[in-house]
Amino acid sequence: MDRKQLPTRTKNVKWIVRGTDHKYQNISLQRFGAIQSEKGVQAIAQIDNQTKKNQQATLKVYDANNKLMAEKNVSLKAGQVTKTVLNDLEMTTALTAKLTVNDEYTADQSMSALLATDQSRIYVDQSLHQLVFKAFQSIDPATSTITSKQLKTIQGRNLLVTNQTQFLKQTQNPVLLIGRDDQKAFPVQGNIKAIDQNLFSYAPIDDIYVEKLYPEVQNAKTLATIDDKPLIQQTKNGHIVVLADLQMTDWALHPSFPLFLWNVKEKLTATESQLGTFKPGEKRVISLPNSPKNYDIYSADNEYITTLTDNGSFVAPAKPGLYYAKSDGDDAFYFIVALEQQEKTLSEGTTFQYGEVSKKDTIAKDDSVFSTILIIMILGLLIAEWEVQRRYGFTN
């Protein structure tokens, strides 16, 4: 823990942080994702062996009803990340991976992933580089390439991939904009920084080269930067924008490129029956069809957790895992509570104290404790005296 993580100084509040000098043995399930294909569901897990010894682990994958779908023994090399793939799983709403291994920290040994249950298709603008279409085709063989004019006729929740900024104004289809047709690019150089870690899971982009960049889209959230200038953004209606043509980068030469496109597809085509991913204890306003007070929250084991109240204001459970919200007669709305990535790596900490408590307040606290003990003693004596009088005193 760093001091910056603590609240600002508060009068008469003192924080005492004790850092451990013990190097914990930890093996972490760093990432877990799943994608639907024509042959079924493919799940991918990344396991980080943070110890100095080779280890053996067992990876089990469960469906949304906590039914065992697959089991695999995995050999883990010391100090390395191992990727393992499970193919041909049955279609389900969500998957949960659980790692069985001998270490000292268990909170990071389970992860869940939501799967889009609809059959959204991908349509790529013919004006884009051919490698964009090829990359999407490796993700979904049913991907089609059509003209910009034909893109305007696509209905439903299908993903549109183009460089035509006019599509950012429409809300019916999700859009991935690669480049811009209404602005000129300018030279850029510097370090790339990913701000939204969820979007770049499996797909780190800090090692790619970008020669030119388009101006940013106004009023959009920045997801990644280069030299502190927006590189990837997300608009208010959810569209993803990459502010560079593929020809302006060497991104297509990196394995992260198709993985990034897969993450984008999963993010933009998620069904409305899913509430997304939360941090433990995160407070967020969520939208459900009926009154939020009618929805109960359950764990994947069907254990009741809480009831949604306060007009949709929702506090996520503290324990990571798969959960769902359900009301009588309605389908379940699944969501995930997941640890942040930095909480999956254990390190030695520093010990420090922060803030002060005045002696006056300390004495007052001690006096309060003493008074409480004195009252308890007096009550005890009164009860004892009453018992003596009852047994040996006057009986009338």
Side-chain angles (χ1 to χ4, degrees), residues 173-187:
N173 296 93
V175 175
L176 170 61
L177 192 78
I178 301 180
R180 299 186 65 166
D181 66 329
D182 61 339
Q183 297 283 347
K184 291 185 178 181
F186 57 89

Side-chain angles (χ1 to χ4, degrees), residues 227-276:
D227 194 25
D228 295 328
K229 298 179 180 63
L231 171 62
I232 299 175
Q233 296 180 286
Q234 184 168 24
T235 65
K236 287 186 177 181
N237 50 1
H239 304 317
I240 301 295
V241 178
V242 178
L243 294 167
D245 294 328
L246 198 60
Q247 302 92 309
M248 299 174 181
T249 79
D250 66 347
W251 201 358
L253 303 177
H254 294 256
S256 63
F257 181 62
L259 292 172
F260 167 77
L261 297 182
W262 171 68
N263 268 350
V264 169
K265 176 186 179 294
E266 293 297 297
K267 185 179 182 72
L268 295 183
T269 60
T271 63
E272 294 180 357
S273 63
Q274 300 172 356
L275 302 180

Side-chain angles (χ1 to χ4, degrees), residues 51-339:
T51 73
K52 296 181 179 180
K53 297 180 179 179
N54 294 340
Q55 304 278 0
Q56 293 293 322
T58 301
L59 182 68
K60 295 181 179 180
V61 177
Y62 300 83
D63 68 4
N65 298 316
N66 217 19
K67 173 187 173 183
L68 181 63
M69 302 277 286
E71 181 176 345
K72 188 175 184 179
N73 295 322
V74 185
S75 298
L76 307 173
K77 293 185 179 180
Q80 294 187 20
V81 176
T82 301
K83 184 178 79 171
T84 184
V85 179
L86 299 103
N87 292 308
D88 303 333
L89 304 179
E90 295 179 8
M91 185 58 196
T92 180
T93 306
L95 289 175
T96 298
K98 295 183 179 180
L99 191 65
T100 303
V101 68
N102 183 25
D103 72 354
E104 299 176 278
Y105 181 52
T106 60
D108 61 355
Q109 293 178 5
S110 177
M111 283 190 71
S112 299
L114 298 174
L115 285 87
T117 54
D118 63 342
Q119 298 297 321
S120 299
R121 295 192 61 180
I122 303 170
Y123 294 90
V124 180
D125 195 325
Q126 287 180 351
S127 63
L128 294 180
H129 196 286
Q130 185 69 10
L131 286 177
V132 176
F133 170 68
K134 292 293 185 181
F136 269 116
Q137 196 175 40
S138 69
I139 298 170
D140 184 353
T143 299
S144 301
T145 175
I146 57 179
T147 66
S148 301
K149 188 175 182 179
Q150 289 174 312
L151 282 177
K152 297 178 181 179
T153 65
I154 302 300
Q155 303 292 323
R157 292 289 300 170
N158 298 297
L159 177 60
L160 309 183
V161 186
T162 181
N163 67 341
Q164 308 291 310
T165 55
Q166 60 179 314
F167 285 95
L168 296 180
K169 298 178 182 179
Q170 66 94 33
T171 57
Q172 184 177 8
N173 296 93
V175 175
L176 170 61
L177 192 78
I178 301 180
R180 299 186 65 166
D181 66 329
D182 61 339
Q183 297 283 347
K184 291 185 178 181
F186 57 89
V188 68
Q189 59 182 355
N191 296 324
I192 295 176
K193 180 181 179 182
I195 298 174
D196 185 338
Q197 297 298 330
N198 290 328
L199 185 60
F200 302 103
S201 60
Y202 298 107
I205 60 171
D206 53 353
D207 58 345
I208 70 173
Y209 169 74
V210 178
E211 180 184 15
K212 291 183 178 181
L213 200 64
Y214 286 105
E216 64 183 285
V217 174
Q218 296 299 317
N219 301 319
K221 178 183 177 182
T222 299
L223 306 180
T225 62
I226 176 169
D227 194 25
D228 295 328
K229 298 179 180 63
L231 171 62
I232 299 175
Q233 296 180 286
Q234 184 168 24
T235 65
K236 287 186 177 181
N237 50 1
H239 304 317
I240 301 295
V241 178
V242 178
L243 294 167
D245 294 328
L246 198 60
Q247 302 92 309
M248 299 174 181
T249 79
D250 66 347
W251 201 358
L253 303 177
H254 294 256
S256 63
F257 181 62
L259 292 172
F260 167 77
L261 297 182
W262 171 68
N263 268 350
V264 169
K265 176 186 179 294
E266 293 297 297
K267 185 179 182 72
L268 295 183
T269 60
T271 63
E272 294 180 357
S273 63
Q274 300 172 356
L275 302 180
T277 301
F278 296 78
K279 301 174 185 177
E282 179 181 354
K283 187 175 182 179
R284 190 191 303 174
V285 175
I286 60 176
S287 177
L288 290 168
N290 300 318
S291 171
K293 295 182 180 180
N294 296 333
Y295 284 86
D296 295 326
I297 304 297
Y298 297 89
S299 70
D301 297 323
N302 299 316
E303 177 187 358
Y304 170 77
I305 305 297
T306 186
T307 299
L308 280 178
T309 57
D310 194 23
N311 297 323
S313 182
F314 170 61
V315 178
K319 185 178 179 181
L322 178 66
Y323 297 85
Y324 64 91
K326 197 173 190 318
S327 180
D328 292 339
D330 290 333
D331 294 332
F333 292 82
Y334 285 89
F335 65 94
I336 292 170
V337 177
L339 286 178

Side-chain angles (χ1 to χ4, degrees), residues 21-33:
D21 56 1
H22 173 63
K23 183 66 175 178
Y24 287 97
Q25 300 296 304
N26 186 40
I27 299 173
S28 169
L29 182 57
Q30 284 285 312
R31 305 185 192 281
F32 177 68

